[in-house]
Amino acid sequence: MANYHRAASKLDMYRKVPVDLMEGTKRGSMLSYLALFTMITLFVLETREFLSPRNKTDLALDASEDPRIRLNFNITMLDLKCEWAVVDVVSSLGSNQNVTAHVTKWDLDANGVRQQYRGRNRLQNDILLFDESVTESIEELHANGEDAVSLDEQTLQFAKNENEFLFVDFYASWCSHCRDLAPTWEALAELMLDTGEHLGKLHHEDYDSEDYEAAEKVRLPVMIGKVDCVTHKEVCQRHAIRAYPTLRLFHNGQPWSGGEFRGHRTLISMVEWLYFVEEKVIEMEGGSKDDQVLQIAHQAAHERLLGDSVSDEERQWHEKLLMDRKKMHTKDWRDSEHPGCQLSGHLILDRAPGNFHIQARSQNQEFAAHMTNTSHMVNSLSVGDPAAKSLVEAGRAPKTLPVEAVDKLSPMDGNLYPTYSHHESYHHYLKLVTTQVEGFKIGRRDLRVYQILENSQLALYRNDMIPEAKFQYDLSPIAVTYRSDSRRWYEYCTSIMAIIGGVFTVVGMFEAGIHATVKRVHRNQQRRSMRR
């Protein structure tokens, strides 16, 4: 036992030095105050660091189990009508989806001011492209002469000056929809000529010989014409014809303020529309309904369609339908003042590479590629739950989300992408990075956001291709997680001890070095003095 106590007493890291052997110096006192100040400063900084959580970024493979993602957008097409604007989604998985029917559209005027709510428009294949009741071919209809007058630059201007109403079909010879419409358009011209002859016979006795010449003008209620935009390209460009066929009505030489004809391309629909236009003009000019001449053409078209086997119930239903259509046809709307379209909505995309694009397309018209302008402005574009973006914009996101990440959630917002030449459009390449933020949730639902790394390039198209505003996306295989990280208590204690011991040791070494240097200098001085 005695040997054990002697061995244990040899281990003593805190041996005491008698006070009588210790000597205090002024230099040691100053270094002690410096050491104490250094310890306190480092202790405060270390404690603040311990109490302040740190933001940490983790990178890992994206293990998200969501099969689809949501893309929210609000894009303004600066020179594309809403009726032509189509949104398509293409996925690398092979799915191709037209989502136009689920996108909200707003017409914009020439100043970019939102004017008319287009809603979720009807599907574009609802329009009847020709009248099935016209069974004759275009050659058979031309056998007794061509009633729809072919116009060029000079004759078109002459026809506008000489006729109160001029209805023109701007077409292209290569357009399949135009070829389908040709027999119906020729039948409409024949109907108007027959109506004019009937009006002349009916009202001949109402004119004396002096005024009969002037009265002959009413024999043709509406002149039906057509312009081949392949042969007369300059005429169509001057009239801003972008799609074929375009059915445009001129009143007293000016395009009708109610816009172009966009209804079913049947005789009854076109004559009804002309009938309502005439009625609207008479009301605006303060005339009488007795002045209407198109009611005979309207009746003739109705009889051609329904024949004589029309019940009273069918007539009442038809009259009610006419009143409903009248409300739509007589709306005062000027297309030239509304070139743009604002599209907003969201897309549910496969979690795979793909693209969505906005382009001009119609089931009942074909477009001139050189007249298609896809200049656009991205008002907003983001990926993920819209509630997450709202919280970020309101400043209610967790502080662990860094500012540079917030800027990448919607980097294209407010960007304008204009095109100044034909056959070109901007393509956008989006790399989507899945981003998880610790504590970012609504209730128990975690909110996931996506950072967007964007690159835009101007793409050129062949002369026969319709340009499109294309947004190509791809998901990054790496996911980012932002979280808060705090130090362990034992790390803090270790740091405090290291500060105390380290400062004490370093200052002690510094003082020992100074003491040895001073002692050596003093000894050298004594030796010199003894030699003298």
Side-chain angles (χ1 to χ4, degrees):
M1 181 64 69
N3 294 332
Y4 173 77
H5 284 294
R6 282 196 299 269
S9 62
K10 292 181 180 180
L11 178 63
D12 187 358
M13 296 185 297
Y14 303 100
R15 296 177 182 272
K16 299 295 186 289
V17 178
V19 178
D20 297 340
L21 300 178
M22 298 179 65
E23 179 183 5
T25 63
K26 187 176 182 181
R27 180 181 63 250
S29 177
M30 294 176 60
L31 290 176
S32 297
Y33 279 111
L34 176 62
L36 183 61
F37 175 78
T38 303
M39 290 179 186
I40 294 175
T41 301
L42 294 178
F43 173 80
V44 171
L45 295 176
E46 189 68 18
T47 304
R48 180 185 296 177
E49 178 69 15
F50 173 71
L51 297 177
S52 301
R54 296 175 297 176
N55 294 336
K56 191 172 182 180
T57 302
D58 295 329
L59 301 179
L61 289 176
D62 189 359
S64 176
E65 298 179 355
D66 295 336
R68 295 191 172 184
I69 58 177
R70 169 172 173 153
L71 186 143
N72 314 289
F73 68 94
N74 187 317
I75 299 173
T76 298
M77 303 303 294
L78 302 178
D79 197 12
L80 185 64
K81 296 180 181 179
C82 283
E83 63 176 307
W84 296 336
V86 175
V87 182
D88 286 338
V89 176
V90 179
S91 171
S92 63
L93 299 181
S95 59
N96 190 344
Q97 180 185 10
N98 176 278
V99 295
T100 304
H102 309 290
V103 174
T104 303
K105 298 181 180 180
W106 293 84
D107 279 312
L108 303 178
D109 64 14
N111 296 319
V113 179
R114 195 164 66 178
Q115 294 290 321
Q116 184 182 18
Y117 176 60
R118 282 281 179 171
R120 295 167 174 82
N121 11 336
R122 61 180 178 177
L123 296 178
Q124 296 178 332
N125 56 4
D126 288 344
I127 301 296
L128 296 179
L129 303 182
F130 59 92
D131 195 331
E132 295 181 355
S133 67
V134 180
T135 57
E136 301 92 337
S137 65
I138 190 64
E139 291 78 12
E140 294 173 345
L141 291 171
H142 284 172
N144 59 348
E146 190 173 344
D147 297 315
V149 183
S150 296
L151 303 172
D152 56 21
E153 184 174 4
Q154 294 180 350
T155 55
L156 175 60
Q157 187 61 42
F158 179 80
K160 289 195 292 185
N161 294 337
E162 293 296 320
N163 295 273
E164 181 181 6
F165 292 103
L166 172 64
F167 201 14
V168 181
D169 173 17
F170 292 91
Y171 71 98
S173 55
W174 49 261
C175 170
S176 59
H177 298 314
C178 302
R179 293 194 294 268
D180 293 339
L181 178 64
T184 304
W185 194 253
E186 184 66 18
L188 176 65
E190 287 187 1
L191 180 62
M192 287 299 161
L193 286 173
D194 293 342
T195 302
E197 292 178 3
H198 180 72
L199 284 171
K201 294 176 182 178
L202 181 65
H203 295 290
H204 184 276
E205 65 276 7
D206 295 337
Y207 297 96
D208 54 30
S209 56
E210 188 176 337
D211 297 331
Y212 184 72
E213 250 180 65
E216 281 186 329
K217 291 184 178 180
V218 301
R219 290 191 177 186
L220 188 61
V222 177
M223 180 179 177
I224 305 299
K226 56 186 178 181
V227 176
D228 187 346
C229 291
V230 176
T231 306
H232 307 290
K233 184 177 180 180
E234 296 78 8
V235 177
C236 296
Q237 288 182 350
R238 191 173 298 110
H239 286 81
I241 303 301
R242 304 184 182 184
Y244 309 117
T246 295
L247 308 181
R248 181 169 296 176
L249 177 67
F250 294 91
H251 174 240
N252 291 332
Q254 299 297 325
W256 167 242
S257 61
E260 300 161 0
F261 177 75
R262 301 188 185 88
H264 295 299
R265 295 170 188 168
T266 60
L267 288 179
I268 187 66
S269 294
M270 289 188 287
V271 173
E272 282 178 358
W273 184 71
L274 294 171
Y275 176 74
F276 290 135
V277 169
E278 185 191 39
E279 186 180 40
K280 180 70 173 178
V281 170
I282 291 175
E283 290 178 0
M284 292 171 59
E285 295 178 351
S288 170
K289 288 190 176 181
D290 296 334
D291 299 330
Q292 284 189 262
V293 297
L294 284 174
Q295 53 188 346
I296 298 176
H298 175 265
Q299 182 179 356
H302 185 61
E303 291 176 354
R304 177 184 179 121
L305 176 66
L306 301 178
D308 298 328
S309 58
V310 182
S311 64
D312 293 338
E313 183 179 355
E314 288 175 326
R315 291 187 183 278
Q316 292 177 1
W317 173 84
H318 183 67
E319 291 175 359
K320 183 179 183 300
L321 181 63
L322 291 182
M323 294 302 296
D324 293 339
R325 290 181 177 176
K326 177 180 178 180
K327 296 177 182 178
M328 294 186 294
H329 288 316
T330 56
K331 200 165 190 176
D332 191 13
W333 189 257
R334 187 179 301 274
D335 281 353
S336 60
E337 297 178 356
H338 303 268
C341 181
Q342 182 178 350
L343 303 98
S344 63
H346 68 275
L347 307 174
I348 303 300
L349 308 175
D350 293 327
R351 200 176 183 86
N355 71 80
F356 76 95
H357 49 268
I358 304 174
Q359 64 177 3
R361 191 174 70 235
S362 175
Q363 296 291 340
N364 48 73
Q365 287 178 312
E366 296 188 24
F367 294 88
H370 66 282
M371 294 293 289
T372 304
N373 185 356
T374 58
S375 297
H376 56 279
M377 180 172 66
V378 179
N379 302 312
S380 65
L381 190 146
S382 63
V383 180
D385 195 327
K389 184 180 180 183
S390 299
L391 291 175
V392 171
E393 291 176 346
R396 297 169 57 187
K399 295 182 178 180
T400 52
L401 183 63
V403 177
E404 56 271 16
V406 173
D407 296 335
K408 294 178 181 177
L409 298 182
S410 50
M412 302 179 68
D413 289 7
N415 289 358
L416 179 65
Y417 302 94
T419 57
Y420 301 101
S421 301
H422 296 162
H423 309 294
E424 65 181 21
S425 180
Y426 273 95
H427 286 188
H428 310 282
Y429 302 90
L430 314 177
K431 177 68 75 172
L432 308 181
V433 182
T434 305
T435 304
Q436 189 75 38
V437 183
E438 184 182 52
F440 198 16
K441 58 178 61 180
I442 296 180
R444 296 183 178 180
R445 180 166 62 94
D446 291 329
L447 297 178
R448 183 182 289 110
V449 295
Y450 292 83
Q451 298 184 60
I452 301 176
L453 306 179
E454 178 264 340
N455 181 31
S456 299
Q457 296 180 356
L458 190 64
L460 301 180
Y461 286 78
R462 297 200 314 263
N463 293 346
D464 59 340
M465 294 182 64
I466 305 296
E468 59 187 14
K470 189 174 183 180
F471 297 78
Q472 188 167 341
Y473 57 87
D474 186 15
L475 281 91
S476 171
I478 303 298
V480 179
T481 301
Y482 296 109
R483 61 184 179 87
S484 177
D485 185 28
S486 58
R487 296 178 61 187
R488 301 291 187 266
W489 63 270
Y490 51 82
E491 294 178 350
Y492 171 71
C493 294
T494 302
S495 298
I496 295 301
M497 293 179 182
I499 289 173
I500 296 174
V503 171
F504 182 83
T505 302
V506 170
V507 173
M509 293 172 60
F510 182 66
E511 194 277 337
I514 295 175
H515 178 73
T517 302
V518 171
K519 189 174 182 181
R520 178 176 296 181
V521 171
H522 184 66
R523 188 182 303 118
N524 290 336
Q525 289 178 350
Q526 286 181 346
R527 288 177 180 177
R528 290 193 191 100
S529 61
M530 289 176 63
R531 289 176 183 175
R532 292 177 181 176

